[in-house]
Amino acid sequence: STIRISAGGLLREVIRLLRPFWPLVLFATTFGVLSGLATAWLLAAINIGLHSDTGATWPLLVRFAALCLLSVAGTAIAGIGNSIVGQKIIAALRKDISARILRAPIASLEMQRSYRLMSVLTGDIDNVSAFTFNFSAFVIALATVIGSFLYLLTLSPIVFFLAIASLAAGWVINMTAQRAWIRDYEGVRLAQDELHKQFRAITDGAKELRMSRPRRGRVHGTHLSGAADRIAALKSRAMRLHWMAD
C-alpha cells in the first residue's frame, strides 16, 4: 500500500483517535459553553445594574460574583481538559503515523521522500496541536456570541435581526475569500516541502557544500532563499485577504 497523508486524512485520523476521550472532551466543552454563557449573562447583569433604580443590591452582587466565578472556572477547566486530550491525541497520532511508515513498502517510502514525511511529522501535527490548544477558546467565544445575541433579542428584535444580517453578510464574504487563501496555503505547503528538501540536502551534503563555494551559493541563494521568499509572499497574501474579509 502507498502512504497518503493529507489534511483531510489527518482530520479523519484525529476524529478516530478522539473517540476514546469523548467523555473528557464533552466534560471540558460543557464547562467551556457554560463559561461563555456566563460571560454573556454577566454583561446582562451589569446592564441591569446600571439601569436599575435601586442600584447595586445584594442579590445583584451575589449574582455578579457567581457569574464571574463560573466564567473564570469554566475557562480554566475547559482549557485544561482540552489541552490534556489534545496532547494525548497528538502523541497517539505521532505513534500511528510512525507505525504506518514502518509498515509501508520501501518503494512507497522512496516515492514520498523523507522531507515530505518529516513535514507531516512536524508541521502538520503541530497544526493539529495548535487547533486542540485553541479549541476551548473557540467554544467559549461561540457560546459568548450566542448568549449575547439572545440577550440582544430581548432588548431590541430589530437590532438583533440587523446584527444577524450583518453576520450573514460577513460569513459570505469570509467564505468567498477563504477559497483564495486556501489556494495560497496549498502553495505554502509545496514551498515548505521544497524548503525541507533543501534542508535535507544541506545536512546530507554538508561536506561537499563546504568544499564547493559555487554550489553553496546556488543552494542558499536560489533554492533556500527562493522557497523562503515564496512562503513569505503566499502567507502575506493569504493573511491580507483574511484581514480584508474580516
Side-chain angles (χ1 to χ4, degrees), residues 58-80:
W58 279 109
L60 180 62
L61 292 175
V62 170
R63 188 192 312 166
F64 180 83
L67 290 173
C68 285
L69 181 62
L70 179 58
S71 178
V72 173
T75 300
I77 292 171
I80 293 170

PDB file of all heavy atoms in Angstrom, residues 58-80:
ATOM      1  N   TRP A  58     -27.806  43.476  47.028  1.00  0.00           N
ATOM      2  CA  TRP A  58     -27.063  42.271  47.388  1.00  0.00           C
ATOM      3  C   TRP A  58     -27.329  41.107  46.429  1.00  0.00           C
ATOM      4  O   TRP A  58     -26.378  40.399  46.041  1.00  0.00           O
ATOM      5  CB  TRP A  58     -27.388  41.873  48.833  1.00  0.00           C
ATOM      6  CG  TRP A  58     -26.613  42.663  49.838  1.00  0.00           C
ATOM      7  CD1 TRP A  58     -27.073  43.624  50.689  1.00  0.00           C
ATOM      8  CD2 TRP A  58     -25.201  42.557  50.069  1.00  0.00           C
ATOM      9  NE1 TRP A  58     -26.049  44.146  51.439  1.00  0.00           N
ATOM     10  CE2 TRP A  58     -24.883  43.504  51.080  1.00  0.00           C
ATOM     11  CE3 TRP A  58     -24.170  41.785  49.526  1.00  0.00           C
ATOM     12  CZ2 TRP A  58     -23.601  43.687  51.569  1.00  0.00           C
ATOM     13  CZ3 TRP A  58     -22.888  41.956  50.010  1.00  0.00           C
ATOM     14  CH2 TRP A  58     -22.609  42.887  51.000  1.00  0.00           C
ATOM     15  N   PRO A  59     -28.574  40.838  46.043  1.00  0.00           N
ATOM     16  CA  PRO A  59     -28.794  39.758  45.061  1.00  0.00           C
ATOM     17  C   PRO A  59     -28.018  39.973  43.759  1.00  0.00           C
ATOM     18  O   PRO A  59     -27.484  39.032  43.177  1.00  0.00           O
ATOM     19  CB  PRO A  59     -30.315  39.788  44.839  1.00  0.00           C
ATOM     20  CG  PRO A  59     -30.867  40.369  46.081  1.00  0.00           C
ATOM     21  CD  PRO A  59     -29.858  41.386  46.529  1.00  0.00           C
ATOM     22  N   LEU A  60     -27.958  41.237  43.323  1.00  0.00           N
ATOM     23  CA  LEU A  60     -27.229  41.542  42.091  1.00  0.00           C
ATOM     24  C   LEU A  60     -25.727  41.298  42.278  1.00  0.00           C
ATOM     25  O   LEU A  60     -25.065  40.738  41.393  1.00  0.00           O
ATOM     26  CB  LEU A  60     -27.475  42.988  41.678  1.00  0.00           C
ATOM     27  CG  LEU A  60     -26.774  43.456  40.389  1.00  0.00           C
ATOM     28  CD1 LEU A  60     -27.262  42.652  39.196  1.00  0.00           C
ATOM     29  CD2 LEU A  60     -27.006  44.941  40.153  1.00  0.00           C
ATOM     30  N   LEU A  61     -25.197  41.688  43.431  1.00  0.00           N
ATOM     31  CA  LEU A  61     -23.765  41.488  43.702  1.00  0.00           C
ATOM     32  C   LEU A  61     -23.429  40.006  43.806  1.00  0.00           C
ATOM     33  O   LEU A  61     -22.379  39.560  43.319  1.00  0.00           O
ATOM     34  CB  LEU A  61     -23.376  42.217  44.985  1.00  0.00           C
ATOM     35  CG  LEU A  61     -23.421  43.756  44.926  1.00  0.00           C
ATOM     36  CD1 LEU A  61     -23.126  44.349  46.294  1.00  0.00           C
ATOM     37  CD2 LEU A  61     -22.436  44.281  43.889  1.00  0.00           C
ATOM     38  N   VAL A  62     -24.313  39.228  44.454  1.00  0.00           N
ATOM     39  CA  VAL A  62     -24.092  37.780  44.561  1.00  0.00           C
ATOM     40  C   VAL A  62     -24.119  37.133  43.183  1.00  0.00           C
ATOM     41  O   VAL A  62     -23.285  36.276  42.852  1.00  0.00           O
ATOM     42  CB  VAL A  62     -25.148  37.147  45.497  1.00  0.00           C
ATOM     43  CG1 VAL A  62     -25.072  35.624  45.426  1.00  0.00           C
ATOM     44  CG2 VAL A  62     -24.937  37.616  46.936  1.00  0.00           C
ATOM     45  N   ARG A  63     -25.106  37.546  42.363  1.00  0.00           N
ATOM     46  CA  ARG A  63     -25.181  37.013  41.002  1.00  0.00           C
ATOM     47  C   ARG A  63     -23.934  37.384  40.203  1.00  0.00           C
ATOM     48  O   ARG A  63     -23.385  36.560  39.456  1.00  0.00           O
ATOM     49  CB  ARG A  63     -26.425  37.567  40.301  1.00  0.00           C
ATOM     50  CG  ARG A  63     -26.693  36.916  38.936  1.00  0.00           C
ATOM     51  CD  ARG A  63     -27.742  37.676  38.160  1.00  0.00           C
ATOM     52  NE  ARG A  63     -28.918  37.968  38.966  1.00  0.00           N
ATOM     53  CZ  ARG A  63     -29.841  38.849  38.609  1.00  0.00           C
ATOM     54  NH1 ARG A  63     -29.709  39.548  37.481  1.00  0.00           N
ATOM     55  NH2 ARG A  63     -30.890  39.067  39.381  1.00  0.00           N
ATOM     56  N   PHE A  64     -23.474  38.618  40.352  1.00  0.00           N
ATOM     57  CA  PHE A  64     -22.268  39.072  39.651  1.00  0.00           C
ATOM     58  C   PHE A  64     -21.062  38.227  40.046  1.00  0.00           C
ATOM     59  O   PHE A  64     -20.302  37.760  39.189  1.00  0.00           O
ATOM     60  CB  PHE A  64     -22.024  40.546  39.984  1.00  0.00           C
ATOM     61  CG  PHE A  64     -20.809  41.127  39.329  1.00  0.00           C
ATOM     62  CD1 PHE A  64     -20.855  41.590  38.024  1.00  0.00           C
ATOM     63  CD2 PHE A  64     -19.598  41.211  40.014  1.00  0.00           C
ATOM     64  CE1 PHE A  64     -19.736  42.122  37.406  1.00  0.00           C
ATOM     65  CE2 PHE A  64     -18.469  41.733  39.408  1.00  0.00           C
ATOM     66  CZ  PHE A  64     -18.537  42.197  38.095  1.00  0.00           C
ATOM     67  N   ALA A  65     -20.886  37.993  41.356  1.00  0.00           N
ATOM     68  CA  ALA A  65     -19.749  37.199  41.831  1.00  0.00           C
ATOM     69  C   ALA A  65     -19.838  35.753  41.351  1.00  0.00           C
ATOM     70  O   ALA A  65     -18.830  35.154  40.945  1.00  0.00           O
ATOM     71  CB  ALA A  65     -19.682  37.242  43.363  1.00  0.00           C
ATOM     72  N   ALA A  66     -21.049  35.184  41.384  1.00  0.00           N
ATOM     73  CA  ALA A  66     -21.228  33.795  40.943  1.00  0.00           C
ATOM     74  C   ALA A  66     -20.930  33.650  39.454  1.00  0.00           C
ATOM     75  O   ALA A  66     -20.278  32.680  39.026  1.00  0.00           O
ATOM     76  CB  ALA A  66     -22.652  33.339  41.244  1.00  0.00           C
ATOM     77  N   LEU A  67     -21.382  34.621  38.663  1.00  0.00           N
ATOM     78  CA  LEU A  67     -21.122  34.557  37.219  1.00  0.00           C
ATOM     79  C   LEU A  67     -19.633  34.742  36.915  1.00  0.00           C
ATOM     80  O   LEU A  67     -19.093  34.079  36.018  1.00  0.00           O
ATOM     81  CB  LEU A  67     -21.946  35.628  36.499  1.00  0.00           C
ATOM     82  CG  LEU A  67     -23.456  35.388  36.455  1.00  0.00           C
ATOM     83  CD1 LEU A  67     -24.175  36.592  35.884  1.00  0.00           C
ATOM     84  CD2 LEU A  67     -23.774  34.146  35.615  1.00  0.00           C
ATOM     85  N   CYS A  68     -18.967  35.627  37.649  1.00  0.00           N
ATOM     86  CA  CYS A  68     -17.517  35.791  37.480  1.00  0.00           C
ATOM     87  C   CYS A  68     -16.789  34.491  37.789  1.00  0.00           C
ATOM     88  O   CYS A  68     -15.889  34.063  37.051  1.00  0.00           O
ATOM     89  CB  CYS A  68     -17.004  36.904  38.387  1.00  0.00           C
ATOM     90  SG  CYS A  68     -17.398  38.570  37.824  1.00  0.00           S
ATOM     91  N   LEU A  69     -17.181  33.843  38.894  1.00  0.00           N
ATOM     92  CA  LEU A  69     -16.548  32.580  39.291  1.00  0.00           C
ATOM     93  C   LEU A  69     -16.782  31.503  38.247  1.00  0.00           C
ATOM     94  O   LEU A  69     -15.857  30.770  37.870  1.00  0.00           O
ATOM     95  CB  LEU A  69     -17.098  32.139  40.649  1.00  0.00           C
ATOM     96  CG  LEU A  69     -16.519  30.838  41.217  1.00  0.00           C
ATOM     97  CD1 LEU A  69     -15.018  30.982  41.455  1.00  0.00           C
ATOM     98  CD2 LEU A  69     -17.232  30.463  42.516  1.00  0.00           C
ATOM     99  N   LEU A  70     -18.033  31.400  37.756  1.00  0.00           N
ATOM    100  CA  LEU A  70     -18.343  30.390  36.746  1.00  0.00           C
ATOM    101  C   LEU A  70     -17.589  30.658  35.452  1.00  0.00           C
ATOM    102  O   LEU A  70     -17.084  29.721  34.814  1.00  0.00           O
ATOM    103  CB  LEU A  70     -19.853  30.378  36.478  1.00  0.00           C
ATOM    104  CG  LEU A  70     -20.345  29.389  35.414  1.00  0.00           C
ATOM    105  CD1 LEU A  70     -19.956  27.963  35.779  1.00  0.00           C
ATOM    106  CD2 LEU A  70     -21.859  29.505  35.240  1.00  0.00           C
ATOM    107  N   SER A  71     -17.481  31.922  35.059  1.00  0.00           N
ATOM    108  CA  SER A  71     -16.772  32.265  33.828  1.00  0.00           C
ATOM    109  C   SER A  71     -15.291  31.900  33.910  1.00  0.00           C
ATOM    110  O   SER A  71     -14.743  31.261  33.010  1.00  0.00           O
ATOM    111  CB  SER A  71     -16.937  33.756  33.544  1.00  0.00           C
ATOM    112  OG  SER A  71     -16.227  34.131  32.388  1.00  0.00           O
ATOM    113  N   VAL A  72     -14.650  32.279  35.023  1.00  0.00           N
ATOM    114  CA  VAL A  72     -13.218  32.015  35.189  1.00  0.00           C
ATOM    115  C   VAL A  72     -12.952  30.514  35.355  1.00  0.00           C
ATOM    116  O   VAL A  72     -12.063  29.941  34.705  1.00  0.00           O
ATOM    117  CB  VAL A  72     -12.660  32.801  36.384  1.00  0.00           C
ATOM    118  CG1 VAL A  72     -11.225  32.394  36.667  1.00  0.00           C
ATOM    119  CG2 VAL A  72     -12.747  34.294  36.130  1.00  0.00           C
ATOM    120  N   ALA A  73     -13.749  29.863  36.225  1.00  0.00           N
ATOM    121  CA  ALA A  73     -13.543  28.432  36.471  1.00  0.00           C
ATOM    122  C   ALA A  73     -13.842  27.609  35.223  1.00  0.00           C
ATOM    123  O   ALA A  73     -13.112  26.659  34.897  1.00  0.00           O
ATOM    124  CB  ALA A  73     -14.428  27.974  37.628  1.00  0.00           C
ATOM    125  N   GLY A  74     -14.915  27.976  34.502  1.00  0.00           N
ATOM    126  CA  GLY A  74     -15.248  27.249  33.278  1.00  0.00           C
ATOM    127  C   GLY A  74     -14.161  27.354  32.225  1.00  0.00           C
ATOM    128  O   GLY A  74     -13.829  26.373  31.559  1.00  0.00           O
ATOM    129  N   THR A  75     -13.596  28.558  32.085  1.00  0.00           N
ATOM    130  CA  THR A  75     -12.496  28.745  31.130  1.00  0.00           C
ATOM    131  C   THR A  75     -11.294  27.887  31.502  1.00  0.00           C
ATOM    132  O   THR A  75     -10.681  27.236  30.639  1.00  0.00           O
ATOM    133  CB  THR A  75     -12.089  30.232  31.086  1.00  0.00           C
ATOM    134  OG1 THR A  75     -13.202  31.017  30.677  1.00  0.00           O
ATOM    135  CG2 THR A  75     -10.940  30.450  30.110  1.00  0.00           C
ATOM    136  N   ALA A  76     -10.949  27.866  32.798  1.00  0.00           N
ATOM    137  CA  ALA A  76      -9.793  27.082  33.248  1.00  0.00           C
ATOM    138  C   ALA A  76     -10.025  25.590  33.041  1.00  0.00           C
ATOM    139  O   ALA A  76      -9.146  24.867  32.527  1.00  0.00           O
ATOM    140  CB  ALA A  76      -9.518  27.375  34.720  1.00  0.00           C
ATOM    141  N   ILE A  77     -11.201  25.098  33.440  1.00  0.00           N
ATOM    142  CA  ILE A  77     -11.493  23.663  33.308  1.00  0.00           C
ATOM    143  C   ILE A  77     -11.518  23.254  31.840  1.00  0.00           C
ATOM    144  O   ILE A  77     -10.959  22.219  31.454  1.00  0.00           O
ATOM    145  CB  ILE A  77     -12.834  23.326  33.993  1.00  0.00           C
ATOM    146  CG1 ILE A  77     -12.698  23.505  35.516  1.00  0.00           C
ATOM    147  CG2 ILE A  77     -13.267  21.897  33.671  1.00  0.00           C
ATOM    148  CD1 ILE A  77     -14.004  23.399  36.261  1.00  0.00           C
ATOM    149  N   ALA A  78     -12.175  24.072  31.001  1.00  0.00           N
ATOM    150  CA  ALA A  78     -12.235  23.754  29.565  1.00  0.00           C
ATOM    151  C   ALA A  78     -10.841  23.754  28.940  1.00  0.00           C
ATOM    152  O   ALA A  78     -10.497  22.859  28.162  1.00  0.00           O
ATOM    153  CB  ALA A  78     -13.132  24.754  28.850  1.00  0.00           C
ATOM    154  N   GLY A  79     -10.032  24.746  29.298  1.00  0.00           N
ATOM    155  CA  GLY A  79      -8.679  24.815  28.738  1.00  0.00           C
ATOM    156  C   GLY A  79      -7.813  23.645  29.164  1.00  0.00           C
ATOM    157  O   GLY A  79      -7.128  23.024  28.339  1.00  0.00           O
ATOM    158  N   ILE A  80      -7.840  23.308  30.457  1.00  0.00           N
ATOM    159  CA  ILE A  80      -7.023  22.200  30.960  1.00  0.00           C
ATOM    160  C   ILE A  80      -7.485  20.870  30.363  1.00  0.00           C
ATOM    161  O   ILE A  80      -6.674  20.063  29.894  1.00  0.00           O
ATOM    162  CB  ILE A  80      -7.082  22.153  32.498  1.00  0.00           C
ATOM    163  CG1 ILE A  80      -6.386  23.379  33.100  1.00  0.00           C
ATOM    164  CG2 ILE A  80      -6.440  20.870  33.028  1.00  0.00           C
ATOM    165  CD1 ILE A  80      -6.591  23.551  34.583  1.00  0.00           C
TER     166      ILE A  80
END
